Amino acid sequence: MAENHRPGYADWAVGNRGGDRAVEGYADRVSVAPGESFVLFVSAPTGWFRAEAFRMGWYGGALARRVWSSGRLPVREQPMPGARGTTRTVAAAWGPSTRVSTRGWPEGAYLIRLTAASGEQRHVPVTVRSRTTAGRVVLVNAVATWQAYNTWGGHSLYHGPGGKGDDAGRSLAVSCDRPYDRDGAPLFLTYEQPVIALAERIGLPLAYVTSMDLDREFGLLDGARAVISLGHDEYWTPAMRERITAARDAGTNIAFLGANACFRRIRLESTARGDRRLVVCYKSDWTHDPAYGKDDAAVTTDWREPPHARPENSLTGTLYESNPTSADYTVTEPGHWLFSGTGVTRGSRFPHLVGTEYDRVTGDPSTPRPIEVIAHSPLVCRGVRSFSDSAYYTAPGGAGVFATGTMRWVESLNGDGAHGIAPATAGFTRRVTENLLRVFAAGPAGRRHPARDNLAEHHPYAGDPVWTHQQLW
């Protein structure tokens, strides 16, 4: 695309993070239409800060272009709030710092870098969403999942201030009205940015939306060629699932490049800053959800659990099983079109590419057919022997649906050796991802590449109620 021929700006990352409260901020919108404005709320003890906006892409390997920079802006340290209410929600009711116009900014995923007078930095992610997705490959920023894991203020949907063992202190609803922890964009940079760089490098027609946009806008996916769920896309509302399922049924290809996708059913509610800025998920405490007994389809728990169970594999093709694990990715169908140009053979292995969470094909009644297992990777997780599966199925409307079955797929694209994955593995995962994106961008993949069902070959005991993992070994 022409945008990526413009000069890049390699110095876009956070350098000196400093202490936890050195500088931090959030935006009052997770996404804006091109030309709209958003407000930044910033806290720092240093008297002034500046902000820079970077559009993430390829840009000749620089990975970003700076589209805007402020001058020095006044700032003050704003209070760290405590958790409030029965949902133990943390929200930073700060005063505004500056309003930012996106006039002239292209659609895309952006990082706003805050730099304090003392040099410390943080990111604030904002998406300039696409007005239409027709004819495009849609990249979904998983904002709901980002917030679920965000520990800023001491509380996430997983634990309270006591750390991972503090389940009783976890939030039941988390707010977008607060900064993100760590560098300000940890899940985006780990699980999404590498795919954005690859997709923009090969020049595909792309559209950018967030999980909140999918929930809000009926018909947003009309005419889309493909929808790409990136590396960690766990938290979905019923509306998100219905709209992506409807897109699949209309012939839009779907890819799940991570594992554990569409696992939690959530509800989005309003905050003081606007609608769909509160992510509600009671999880195992679902009987305490105010929707229970009134609207069971809206009760927030795991999708596969009551009171309105709909296992995720009816859409994804694979079922999340467990974590943590680290195992070799094992190719079983080297002639599949996704492996074209990789040079793999049956049994080719890529150490540590499977992990830390993984999915597998089960063959239960929710499994779409025909489904083709193209990588079947033995592993051990929590003392249990099992498998991770990469799988491809085709839907009656012509759509192709692919799931990698591992959360490390997107991370591996960087080739930086994370998790012990050999840097050379990036050549394999990049080529497979490029094959996927190019074929999915061309229209309903199932019409040209129908799945060859091989479930009986790789999971001969699937569907047997007395089957156990150990019986396969």
Side-chain angles (χ1 to χ4, degrees):
M1 60 188 290
E3 169 63 25
N4 274 273
H5 293 302
R6 303 183 73 170
Y9 194 92
D11 180 25
W12 56 266
V14 163
N16 175 18
R17 243 175 66 181
D20 285 345
R21 301 223 62 206
V23 61
E24 51 197 356
Y26 68 92
D28 71 337
R29 310 280 293 278
V30 300
S31 73
V32 293
E36 290 184 338
S37 298
F38 60 89
V39 175
L40 284 174
F41 299 83
V42 181
S43 174
T46 55
W48 62 264
F49 78 101
R50 68 176 183 273
E52 303 163 278
F54 299 97
R55 183 184 183 277
M56 308 308 294
W58 176 241
Y59 300 105
L63 305 180
R65 179 172 74 88
R66 187 168 69 174
V67 302
W68 170 82
S69 179
S70 74
R72 293 186 179 187
L73 299 169
V75 71
R76 59 186 174 85
E77 188 168 21
Q78 307 210 54
M80 170 67 78
R84 302 188 65 180
T86 58
T87 59
R88 296 179 290 278
T89 299
V90 176
W94 291 352
S97 300
T98 189
R99 178 175 290 275
V100 180
S101 171
T102 66
R103 184 176 180 180
W105 297 17
E107 300 169 356
Y110 285 79
L111 293 178
I112 314 302
R113 186 171 66 182
L114 310 175
T115 302
S118 51
E120 291 92 345
Q121 297 177 322
R122 290 293 193 284
H123 280 142
V124 178
V126 175
T127 300
V128 177
R129 64 179 178 269
S130 299
R131 296 187 184 277
T132 179
T133 65
R136 304 190 197 180
V137 174
V138 183
L139 302 179
V140 182
N141 297 136
V143 175
T145 300
W146 300 351
Q147 281 297 348
Y149 285 87
N150 182 12
T151 61
W152 191 90
H155 296 260
S156 70
L157 287 181
Y158 289 86
H159 55 78
K164 291 185 177 180
D166 186 9
D167 182 72
R170 70 181 179 90
S171 295
L172 303 177
V174 289
S175 176
C176 295
D177 300 345
R178 59 178 180 151
Y180 289 103
D181 55 11
R182 292 182 279 175
D183 63 7
L187 269 65
F188 170 80
L189 289 170
T190 301
Y191 296 116
E192 303 190 12
Q193 179 271 330
V195 179
I196 290 169
L198 177 62
E200 295 217 349
R201 179 178 64 80
I202 61 179
L204 296 177
L206 301 176
Y208 288 89
V209 303
T210 71
S211 48
M212 276 62 167
D213 299 321
L214 286 177
D215 181 86
R216 181 180 62 248
E217 296 186 34
F218 179 82
L220 179 60
L221 299 178
D222 288 354
R225 295 290 180 87
V227 177
I228 311 299
S229 164
L230 298 166
H232 197 181
D233 190 10
E234 181 178 352
Y235 288 77
W236 288 41
T237 67
M240 288 171 59
R241 184 163 179 176
E242 292 300 331
R243 286 161 189 174
I244 290 183
T245 301
R248 178 203 64 182
D249 294 346
T252 298
N253 303 308
I254 312 293
F256 298 93
L257 297 186
N260 190 222
C262 193
F263 183 67
R264 309 281 192 186
R265 183 168 62 228
I266 61 171
R267 187 169 60 250
L268 298 178
E269 297 181 354
S270 298
T271 72
R273 303 284 184 218
D275 70 335
R276 292 173 172 82
R277 291 184 61 82
L278 190 70
V279 180
V280 181
C281 193
Y282 279 71
K283 297 186 183 179
S284 59
D285 296 319
W286 58 266
T287 57
H288 300 290
D289 189 325
Y292 177 51
K294 300 175 183 176
D295 183 3
D296 284 349
V299 169
T300 57
T301 183
D302 299 348
W303 274 100
R304 65 182 71 171
E305 299 296 336
H308 193 73
R310 292 177 60 199
E312 67 271 19
N313 62 337
S314 66
L315 173 60
T316 64
T318 59
L319 198 75
Y320 170 63
E321 188 159 84
S322 192
N323 76 89
T325 194
S326 188
D328 294 356
Y329 183 92
T330 306
V331 173
T332 51
E333 297 294 337
H336 196 273
W337 62 267
L338 278 162
F339 295 141
S340 176
T342 64
V344 296
T345 60
R346 187 176 180 87
S348 290
R349 293 175 179 265
F350 297 89
H352 305 293
L353 182 55
V354 173
T356 180
E357 297 187 309
Y358 69 94
D359 297 349
R360 68 179 180 91
V361 175
T362 64
D364 67 13
S366 297
T367 303
R369 307 291 285 273
I371 192 165
E372 191 169 3
V373 177
I374 66 172
H376 187 56
S377 306
L379 58 85
V380 177
C381 184
R382 304 191 185 206
V384 176
R385 293 178 173 181
S386 188
F387 295 90
S388 166
D389 293 316
S390 283
Y392 171 75
Y393 77 85
T394 46
V401 180
F402 173 64
T404 68
T406 171
M407 191 173 288
R408 290 180 179 168
W409 188 273
V410 174
E411 288 183 89
S412 75
L413 297 175
N414 287 324
D416 58 6
H419 309 293
I421 301 171
T425 297
F428 167 73
T429 52
R430 285 173 191 159
R431 181 57 187 264
V432 175
T433 306
E434 184 173 336
N435 290 343
L436 171 82
L437 293 172
R438 289 189 187 279
V439 168
F440 274 21
R447 296 176 184 168
R448 289 160 290 125
H449 301 286
R452 180 186 65 83
D453 197 293
N454 62 357
L455 185 62
E457 177 182 349
H458 294 291
H459 287 284
Y461 301 101
D464 184 342
V466 299
W467 173 79
T468 66
H469 300 304
Q470 288 82 354
Q471 286 174 301
L472 284 179
W473 288 70

